[in-house]
Amino acid sequence: MELIFSPLGWLILAAFVAGLVDAVVGGGGLIQIPALFAAQPGVAPATLFGTNKFASVFGTTNAAWRYARRVDMPWRTILPAAAAAFVFSYAGAAAVAWLPKEAVRPLILALLIFSAAYTLWKKDFGQLHRPAHSGHRELLYAVLLGGVIGFYDGFFGPGTGSFLIFLFIRFFGFDFLHASAGAKVVNVATNVAALAFFVPAGHLLLGLAVGMALANVAGSATGTWLALRHGSGFIRVVFLLVVGVLIARFAWDTVVAVSG
């Protein structure tokens, strides 16, 4: 009982819930990162981010594997996007040195509001799987999408999975199920790219990260099962809920930054 109500217990629970949410629509970082900062206030932020990425990459990989077993994965789109995301996530991390994150916060808020409004307005958005491109155009769009999202994930991060799902549906004609499945593969690439920096630099609480990784995997298995069982309609609802939370968070952070 003491373990359940201890900081470690809360972190394990947060990792489970983060893995569940992330497997459906992304956004697990909204849960896992604040939990780490609250439970480990004396630890350097880079170490907490590295611990978060370590826990997340196992859950995301597990979700991608489970989706791949049950969903006809559009690999011709996903793999180029993942490769571009891996490369550009490094560029995004480097951009932090010369472009303050606060400068792009209002833009991200506007994009999130647009994504939510567009999804609500178009009732059939993401309900049918109708791939829209092929050949060179598909490859070009995949590389561009992966590059932009990879840069964003390396530079800022929150909402990466949700943005991926929206863009896969909007530009490639995927339904929510296939978009969520594809987003997991790209997320694995960006997480691995981040870990390639964090781990060699020693920014990792290994014991805690392993425990959270196990909980994250259990959560991702639950989330993937729910998504596969209930399909695109269920994923659409969770997507709107997560984007709504992201909008509230970015709006609050923007107000705080302006007033401060």
Side-chain angles (χ1 to χ4, degrees):
M1 186 63 70
E2 290 183 4
L3 175 62
I4 295 175
F5 292 104
S6 69
L8 176 59
W10 284 115
L11 283 174
I12 295 299
L13 177 60
F16 175 85
V17 177
L20 190 157
V21 172
D22 216 50
V24 181
V25 293
L30 284 171
I31 302 165
Q32 202 161 259
I33 292 175
L36 278 164
F37 274 84
Q40 303 286 334
V43 177
T47 301
L48 296 180
F49 282 120
T51 302
N52 170 68
K53 286 294 186 184
F54 185 93
S56 298
V57 73
F58 287 95
T60 306
T61 302
N62 176 72
W65 173 70
R66 289 176 181 273
Y67 276 121
R69 293 176 61 199
R70 298 282 300 278
V71 175
D72 183 16
M73 299 286 278
W75 293 113
R76 290 187 305 176
T77 300
I78 295 170
L79 292 180
F86 180 89
V87 173
F88 278 86
S89 64
Y90 273 102
V96 176
W98 55 267
L99 180 64
K101 292 183 177 182
E102 289 73 17
V104 301
R105 198 184 302 277
L107 174 61
I108 301 304
L109 176 60
L111 290 173
L112 286 166
I113 293 173
F114 172 78
S115 299
Y118 190 90
T119 303
L120 284 168
W121 175 56
K122 292 188 70 72
K123 301 299 182 182
D124 62 341
F125 184 72
Q127 298 302 307
L128 297 175
H129 187 60
R130 295 172 293 195
H133 302 292
S134 61
H136 295 300
R137 176 173 293 186
E138 179 184 27
L139 177 62
L140 175 63
Y141 278 26
V143 170
L144 287 175
L145 182 151
V148 169
I149 291 297
F151 182 89
Y152 172 74
D153 194 42
F155 176 73
F156 209 69
T160 296
S162 300
F163 278 131
L164 275 170
I165 289 173
F166 179 83
L167 293 172
F168 273 136
I169 296 171
R170 177 63 184 83
F171 289 99
F172 294 102
F174 292 2
D175 62 9
F176 270 101
L177 181 60
H178 285 81
S180 183
K184 300 302 162 290
V185 177
V186 180
N187 268 154
V188 170
T190 58
N191 284 340
V192 170
L195 285 172
F197 166 77
F198 286 122
V199 173
H203 296 306
L204 179 66
L205 299 174
L206 184 59
L208 177 59
V210 170
M212 292 182 69
L214 293 173
N216 199 275
V217 168
S220 77
T222 304
T224 308
W225 178 80
L226 287 170
L228 290 169
R229 180 178 177 84
H230 298 290
S232 289
F234 168 76
I235 298 175
R236 180 179 187 270
V237 171
V238 180
F239 172 83
L240 287 170
L241 288 172
V242 171
V243 171
V245 172
L246 282 165
I247 289 171
R249 175 192 165 175
F250 274 91
W252 173 258
D253 290 345
T254 301
V255 170
V256 170
V258 171
S259 61

